[in-house]
Amino acid sequence: MESSRGELVNLIEQKKIAKDNIKQAINIANIHPAPKAWFDFINQLLLWLGCVSLGLAVIFFIAHNWSEIGRFAKFALVEISLIFAIIVYVKTKPQTNASNGALITATLLLGALMALFGQTYQTGADPWQLFFNWALFILPWALIARFTSLWIIWLALLNIALALYCDVNTNPLSLFFTNKVNPLWLFIGLNSFIFTCWHTLSLSRTWMKKTWAIRVIALVTGTLITENALLAIVDDYIIHTLALPVWGVFLGAIYWLYRKVSIDLFMLSGACLSGIVVLTAVVGNGVIFSGDGAEYLLVSIMVIGLGSGSAFWLKQVQQEMN
């Protein structure tokens, strides 16, 4: 649909389609969704909202009535709901919206069951262990189901567990470095490794080829690397860190993968945005404190110039795609 839309826009811009025939061309290109497409979209939307709402409803019901419900009733409610969700997944056809929705509900209920166990018996475990064990227990489901959304949830749980772990341990990299190192490197390493594995495996596995999943992972990884580069610039320790070289390698990899190997405007747009932010921070950090008010104008002109240049380049890439 995106390709047909882009081709039609180019034809209209080049005035190869008469104004009187534009509406007919749009209908022939089948750009506007048909009534059946709207029905399928609404049907899937209600299914997913229902599955997620069911899992959250059980959690909120127990939390709201915590003092009124006994411990065995709490466990019974969560476990029966979890078993029911698993039965629905087993009985339905694999790789369908119904089975995937049941699996998401089961994932939420499993986390609720683990939290309920820890809160009821006061195990004394740190909060990061809850999310880590939650991710550990749903890993077999993710491997068997090969469901992209479940893998993204698994990745989110790992990042939350790592964030809570770093919050408890002030120096999480003490085993490898004597001096305190920015824990942001742990997140960069984790998400970069997953991004590399996902991109490599997607070349041979159909279920991993969904564009939105690799874009989400790349967005998280790119945001972390850009943030680390900004911290290096603001804290004035550029020479003593690998933040900027790693940032440059990441941008180079994105350019090579999604410009030379295959074209993806979303990835290239994110790389352009990261480049604008970091380059502006480098220049701004050097001139803002010079004492002259003209530096703000310089930074503004730089942002406008970089943004306009990026838009022009992306437009050229889009024309190459069409």
Side-chain angles (χ1 to χ4, degrees):
M1 182 179 293
E2 294 178 358
S3 178
S4 300
R5 186 189 300 273
E7 292 177 5
L8 182 59
V9 169
N10 288 332
L11 291 175
I12 295 175
E13 290 179 349
Q14 298 170 9
K15 298 182 179 180
K16 294 184 177 180
I17 300 178
K19 293 183 178 180
D20 298 336
N21 298 330
I22 291 179
K23 185 175 181 180
Q24 183 180 1
I26 293 176
N27 294 330
I28 294 175
N30 196 25
I31 292 178
H32 293 314
K36 185 179 182 302
W38 278 109
F39 177 79
D40 293 338
F41 170 76
I42 295 174
N43 186 29
Q44 294 183 23
L45 179 63
L46 294 177
L47 174 64
W48 287 110
L49 289 177
C51 292
V52 175
S53 298
L54 179 61
L56 295 178
V58 175
I59 298 174
F60 292 148
F61 179 80
I62 294 178
H64 182 72
N65 300 279
W66 183 266
S67 58
E68 286 78 13
I69 304 177
R71 66 174 62 181
F72 293 106
K74 297 173 187 173
F75 279 102
L77 178 60
V78 177
E79 291 173 357
I80 291 174
S81 302
L82 177 60
I83 294 173
F84 178 76
I86 295 176
I87 292 175
V88 172
Y89 173 77
V90 173
K91 293 297 183 180
T92 54
K93 185 179 179 180
Q95 302 296 328
T96 60
N97 291 326
S99 62
N100 292 335
L103 190 59
I104 292 296
T105 304
T107 300
L108 295 175
L109 293 173
L110 178 61
L113 180 61
M114 297 176 63
L116 176 62
F117 180 83
Q119 185 66 26
T120 302
Y121 295 102
Q122 298 295 324
T123 57
D126 293 326
W128 71 268
Q129 296 179 3
L130 168 63
F131 291 93
F132 179 79
N133 292 330
W134 189 0
L136 188 64
F137 279 113
I138 68 172
L139 181 59
W141 293 357
L143 291 172
I144 295 173
R146 294 180 295 178
F147 180 34
T148 306
S149 299
L150 186 59
W151 278 104
I152 298 300
I153 294 176
W154 178 79
L155 177 59
L157 292 176
L158 280 185
N159 279 273
I160 294 174
L162 184 58
L164 295 174
Y165 176 80
C166 293
D167 187 53
V168 174
N169 299 273
T170 57
N171 190 13
L173 294 174
S174 58
L175 293 177
F176 305 97
F177 302 97
T178 55
N179 297 327
K180 186 175 181 180
V181 180
N182 188 356
L184 193 60
W185 284 106
L186 287 175
F187 294 91
I188 293 174
L190 172 64
N191 290 277
S192 299
F193 175 75
I194 294 176
F195 172 75
T196 303
C197 293
W198 192 284
H199 184 275
T200 303
L201 294 175
S202 65
L203 300 177
S204 58
R205 288 164 174 78
T206 305
W207 67 274
M208 301 182 71
K209 293 182 180 295
K210 292 185 178 180
T211 307
W212 70 268
I214 189 66
R215 286 178 176 178
V216 169
I217 301 174
L219 180 63
V220 173
T221 307
T223 301
L224 293 171
I225 293 177
T226 303
E227 180 183 357
N228 199 33
L230 290 176
L231 291 176
I233 295 170
V234 174
D235 292 342
D236 292 329
Y237 65 99
I238 298 178
I239 299 177
H240 306 288
T241 183
L242 294 175
L244 288 180
V246 169
W247 171 77
V249 170
F250 178 76
L251 288 191
I254 292 296
Y255 177 81
W256 181 75
L257 288 174
Y258 300 106
R259 178 67 178 91
K260 299 297 184 180
V261 178
S262 61
I263 298 178
D264 191 324
L265 286 178
F266 179 87
M267 297 292 196
L268 296 177
S269 300
C272 290
L273 178 60
S274 177
I276 292 172
V277 170
V278 173
L279 292 177
T280 303
V282 171
V283 176
N285 189 62
V287 302
I288 288 298
F289 301 103
S290 62
D292 187 4
E295 65 267 10
Y296 294 100
L297 178 61
L298 175 63
V299 173
S300 301
I301 294 175
M302 180 180 177
V303 172
I304 295 174
L306 291 175
S308 301
S310 300
F312 179 76
W313 178 66
L314 292 172
K315 184 66 176 179
Q316 286 186 325
V317 174
Q318 184 185 22
Q319 291 176 354
E320 292 181 13
M321 294 174 58
N322 298 327

